Amino acid sequence: SFFAPHRDSEKVNGMFATLVVNLPSRHEGGSLVVSHDDETRTIDFDGPAGAYSMQYAAFYTDCKHEIEPVTSGYRVNLIYNLRLAGRKRQPTAPRNSENVNRTAALLTELFTDGPYDKIAIPLVHEYSEAGLSPDLLKGSDRSRVDVLARAAEQLNYQLYLALLTHHQSGSVEDDWDYGGRWSSIDEDDAEMDEVFDESMTLSFWIDMQGHEKEFGKMNLDAEDLLDAKNFSGNPSRQEVHEATGNEGVTMERWYHHGVIVLWPEERYFRILASEGQDAALPALVELIDSEPDPASSEAGRTFAREIINRWRPSHPLYIKRDGQSASAVEMLTQLQRLADADLVNQFIREGMVNDYGGSEGALLGALCDQLGYASLASALTHFIAAQVPTERRASLKATVEIVANLCWHDAPMTDERRSVCRTLVGELQAVMEQWDQHVETSPWLREHETREGIVESLFQALAAIEAPDLLENFLTHALTNPKHYDLHTVLIPAVKTSYYEVDEQSLGTEVMHRLLQHCIDELHDLTKTPVPVPTDWAQDIEIRHNCEDCRELQRFLRDPKAQVYRFRVRKDRREHLHRQIDSHGCDMTHVTERKGSPQTLVCTKTRASYERRQRQFEIDTQLLEELREMAEA
């Protein structure tokens, strides 16, 4: 029921290996253990699968092997001697232990003295995604991977197979006719002249068990590619692009090649973090999920620190303030699980300061409750102070939302929390004054920031921390700054949203009554005199341009009786008149009558300004009635 460790003798001429075929048989034990070249593998034939399916294993005759005792049932096998007919020299089991030791020493030297975090070694043969697997490697690649994998295991390095994509873009060799079209070359035969840009990325990761790893795409520097002579051959794909504008004929090439990728295990976090938070955060979540006690996970803290150190803020031109930054929210969520105040402080100062959306306040409040408001106060103050209008990534509304959530989220209002929140609101008000005094010189670089919703948020926050003095200061600032705190778009919506939410016993009641009365007074002034109906067609508009056509347009505008005027002028003069009418806000339509030459621009005066003022008067009258009812309720 067992075999002691032994090597098979050559039972027939040319025998080089033994094949064991395990027939379906119910049993326990009887594992085959094969040892060779300082490696041992155990093949289990028992278990549920062994009772119903065929299994097999093969090993060279010079491999020591044994059969462990069968503890129950029957183990039924067919044993075959393997030989290659017609060959005098039969294959033998490779002995790589010496090469493994030498390779381990070289790898240690490479990562100790060199500038590498990771290295990639090209495979000799070509592989597709379907063929890139340890079990399907060809020729010398199998030995190469075997040696490197054993050396990596010895050194506690991580080793994977991956597909390397080398992309190049550049100009085509001079072989096209006048006009920028290639003529005598076929797209597949085109040769690149000068390379303008190139990059290398790794993807489709496979571990030594043949399992795919979700590392995504990873960049590779050219100096990290070793033994590059194996990285050659024809491109997998290339495209030639015709000339456009000032750019001549260009082409792109893509080379795909299988590589072996190694790195020391302790650099794994740094390597993933260097690819950016979008690539690294899923791995951090997976790591923390695997920890029985995340708060005591040293690996989790190390990885989180590497991600923060390499946090990449969004480019200011592409920031979308939709209420959240998915990466910042995810990072705060994982930091809450790690419960490390130093990491939270570092992330607020170095990561979130340039990458936030406004919804992070609830998580920050939970972190303050967990770690203590005082422990995060300095970092939060730094974050708020950095959100100045000259910083392209800053958003006043999102910053106000974060501070408001910190002040009024559902948790006990301790003295420590109230004190820290007062400090944060004080810093916020200083930042708001900078925003309200700022004159934007490059409005195309950021979305216009209104003050809509800000009054409501600050009222809730300041009422929650019982700071009537700060509330009074803010309201005074808002009421004396109608340019930013518009009556119709900011103040009245704030009253209608928040008036009934303020508790009569709250310290914010008096301030809210003051805001309501201010809105009533302003609406009363706007509606005490009806909008006068125009008695003629004259428009009091000063045309700033002084050409002949503009002087004629000016006379038409001032004429109290003329409603229609016709400019029969050439196209460029008509276009000039179109621009002047639109830019000066003239109440008139201006349509080209496409008859004759030159054609005629027909200008017809309207009552558009009067109609707008009348509609606004009616709206203001209705709003005044609504607010008076609120005040009397």
Side-chain angles (χ1 to χ4, degrees):
S1 59
F2 71 95
F3 278 110
H6 68 286
R7 289 184 175 87
D8 285 344
S9 59
E10 187 175 322
K11 299 179 177 64
V12 295
N13 289 334
M15 175 181 170
F16 69 91
T18 299
L19 170 65
V20 179
V21 179
N22 191 75
L23 300 178
S25 52
R26 195 186 304 276
H27 69 280
E28 294 181 1
S31 297
L32 170 64
V33 181
V34 182
S35 300
H36 176 73
D37 198 28
D38 298 332
E39 279 196 286
T40 299
R41 300 292 172 86
T42 300
I43 298 96
D44 295 319
F45 292 120
D46 60 357
Y52 302 102
S53 61
M54 193 92 71
Q55 301 176 83
Y56 68 90
F59 49 89
Y60 288 99
T61 54
D62 50 352
C63 292
K64 183 181 288 187
H65 59 282
E66 63 178 296
I67 303 296
E68 294 181 338
V70 177
T71 57
S72 68
Y74 295 90
R75 178 179 180 273
V76 183
N77 298 106
L78 301 178
I79 307 298
Y80 293 89
N81 303 321
L82 301 184
R83 61 187 294 269
L84 290 176
R87 287 184 58 174
K88 292 183 179 180
R89 184 176 180 181
Q90 299 295 322
T92 58
R95 294 186 176 275
N96 289 324
S97 57
E98 183 179 345
N99 291 331
V100 169
N101 293 332
R102 289 173 56 200
T103 300
L106 288 171
L107 288 173
T108 301
E109 180 181 345
L110 196 67
F111 282 105
T112 301
D113 301 333
Y116 307 103
D117 273 337
K118 61 180 179 290
I119 59 171
I121 302 171
L123 296 167
V124 174
H125 298 276
E126 294 185 3
Y127 299 90
S128 64
E129 287 188 5
L132 189 65
S133 172
D135 295 337
L136 301 176
L137 294 174
K138 308 167 189 174
S140 60
D141 286 338
R142 184 180 291 273
S143 296
R144 176 176 292 207
V145 170
D146 176 65
V147 170
L148 286 167
R150 290 169 61 185
E153 184 177 5
Q154 186 181 119
L155 296 171
N156 202 25
Y157 285 7
Q158 295 182 339
L159 180 144
Y160 302 94
L161 301 179
L163 280 181
L164 171 62
T165 299
H166 183 196
H167 172 256
Q168 293 179 325
S169 62
S171 59
V172 183
E173 285 187 347
D174 293 338
D175 200 2
W176 62 87
D177 61 13
Y178 181 79
R181 294 178 179 272
W182 66 94
S183 55
S184 61
I185 55 174
D186 183 83
E187 182 168 303
D188 293 335
D189 298 327
E191 293 295 333
M192 188 171 289
D193 180 21
E194 180 182 358
V195 177
F196 300 150
D197 185 47
E198 60 183 323
S199 64
M200 289 191 287
T201 56
L202 300 166
S203 61
F204 192 70
W205 299 82
I206 303 294
D207 65 16
M208 288 300 97
Q209 287 70 49
H211 301 139
E212 189 171 349
K213 303 294 289 185
E214 297 296 333
F215 290 157
K217 285 189 177 181
M218 191 178 293
N219 294 308
L220 183 73
D221 294 332
E223 56 267 23
D224 295 337
L225 181 65
L226 307 186
D227 196 19
K229 66 178 182 294
N230 284 326
F231 187 62
S232 59
N234 297 322
S236 304
R237 179 165 65 97
Q238 72 177 32
E239 296 177 359
V240 178
H241 307 288
E242 290 194 43
T244 57
N246 295 325
E247 192 174 78
V249 178
T250 60
M251 69 180 297
E252 293 182 277
R253 279 180 170 175
W254 290 266
Y255 296 85
H256 299 297
H257 203 92
V259 293
I260 310 159
V261 185
L262 299 98
W263 58 67
E265 186 175 41
E266 68 271 12
R267 302 188 191 183
Y268 168 67
F269 297 148
R270 187 165 71 198
I271 290 168
L272 279 187
S274 67
E275 297 301 312
Q277 59 266 25
D278 290 341
L281 279 172
L284 176 64
V285 174
E286 182 180 355
L287 172 64
I288 295 176
D289 284 344
S290 69
E291 296 283 1
D293 180 17
S296 62
S297 172
E298 187 59 38
R301 285 193 290 273
T302 300
F303 195 5
R305 187 173 294 106
E306 292 288 357
I307 294 173
I308 296 169
N309 289 341
R310 290 161 177 77
W311 196 271
R312 299 175 183 175
S314 303
H315 192 284
L317 288 177
Y318 303 108
I319 290 178
K320 292 184 179 179
R321 299 296 181 184
D322 56 1
Q324 69 174 13
S325 166
S327 296
V329 169
E330 185 63 77
M331 191 69 199
L332 288 171
T333 301
Q334 301 313 314
L335 292 177
Q336 185 179 17
R337 299 172 71 189
L338 292 172
D340 188 306
D342 290 340
L343 284 176
V344 177
N345 276 297
Q346 183 187 359
F347 178 64
I348 294 171
R349 288 176 176 274
E350 300 175 14
M352 201 185 86
V353 70
N354 290 319
D355 191 7
Y356 61 97
S359 67
E360 296 82 4
L363 272 169
L364 289 170
L367 283 163
C368 287
D369 294 334
Q370 177 187 23
L371 304 172
Y373 279 79
S375 68
L376 303 182
S378 177
L380 290 169
T381 303
H382 170 83
F383 166 80
I384 296 168
Q387 308 312 314
V388 293
T390 52
E391 171 52 56
R392 294 299 172 196
R393 295 184 178 91
S395 167
L396 178 60
K397 186 174 182 179
T399 305
V400 170
E401 286 297 315
I402 289 173
V403 176
N405 269 285
L406 280 166
C407 293
W408 59 263
H409 83 278
D410 189 17
M413 183 56 69
T414 62
D415 291 340
E416 177 189 348
R417 178 184 175 189
R418 181 178 291 106
S419 174
V420 170
C421 286
R422 279 188 63 94
T423 301
L424 299 181
V425 172
E427 189 65 48
L428 176 62
Q429 289 186 331
V431 169
M432 290 177 66
E433 289 181 6
Q434 293 186 57
W435 278 82
D436 292 340
Q437 295 168 7
H438 178 68
V439 177
E440 184 60 69
T441 56
S442 304
W444 58 89
L445 289 179
R446 74 153 85 241
E447 186 178 346
H448 176 61
E449 286 262 2
T450 69
R451 304 299 182 264
E452 296 174 24
I454 283 180
V455 175
E456 299 95 303
S457 296
L458 274 180
F459 258 88
Q460 287 180 311
L462 293 171
I465 64 173
E466 299 177 348
D469 53 331
L470 296 178
L471 194 52
E472 281 284 354
N473 292 341
F474 167 66
L475 184 60
T476 299
H477 172 76
L479 298 186
T480 55
N481 194 342
K483 175 183 176 182
H484 294 293
Y485 299 89
D486 177 73
L487 176 69
H488 293 93
T489 61
V490 178
L491 299 182
I492 293 176
V495 169
K496 296 177 75 172
T497 299
S498 304
Y499 186 76
Y500 291 117
E501 295 180 2
V502 177
D503 190 337
E504 283 297 325
Q505 307 302 317
S506 168
L507 296 175
T509 304
E510 184 178 341
V511 180
M512 182 56 71
H513 285 319
R514 179 185 165 196
L515 175 58
L516 173 60
Q517 190 58 51
H518 171 83
C519 293
I520 291 173
D521 293 342
E522 290 292 309
L523 289 171
H524 174 74
D525 290 342
L526 292 172
T527 57
K528 63 184 178 183
T529 303
V531 179
V533 179
T535 57
D536 57 42
W537 291 102
Q539 296 183 25
D540 187 18
I541 296 175
E542 187 72 34
I543 301 297
R544 293 181 292 274
H545 204 263
N546 197 35
C547 67
E548 178 184 346
D549 292 333
C550 286
R551 289 196 298 271
E552 197 170 346
L553 175 63
Q554 182 73 77
R555 288 191 292 271
F556 171 54
L557 286 168
R558 296 285 173 80
D559 191 328
K561 296 181 179 180
Q563 185 181 1
V564 179
Y565 196 86
R566 304 169 69 85
F567 292 87
R568 189 174 183 182
V569 293
R570 64 178 183 267
K571 183 178 180 180
D572 61 317
R573 293 169 64 183
R574 295 198 307 272
E575 290 176 345
H576 174 70
L577 285 167
H578 281 303
R579 290 193 296 270
Q580 295 301 316
I581 292 169
D582 287 337
S583 64
H584 286 84
C586 303
D587 288 343
M588 67 175 66
T589 60
H590 40 107
V591 181
T592 298
E593 185 178 83
R594 304 190 181 281
K595 294 180 181 179
S597 180
Q599 296 174 349
T600 302
L601 179 64
V602 181
C603 297
T604 305
K605 292 178 182 175
T606 67
R607 303 286 194 201
S609 294
Y610 163 74
E611 292 166 357
R612 284 194 300 271
R613 290 196 299 271
Q614 181 60 30
R615 284 196 299 270
Q616 188 62 56
F617 180 85
E618 294 169 0
I619 292 171
D620 290 344
T621 301
Q622 179 64 34
L623 286 171
L624 179 59
E625 183 179 343
E626 292 177 14
L627 296 190
R628 281 174 171 167
E629 289 177 359
M630 291 173 63
E632 294 169 0

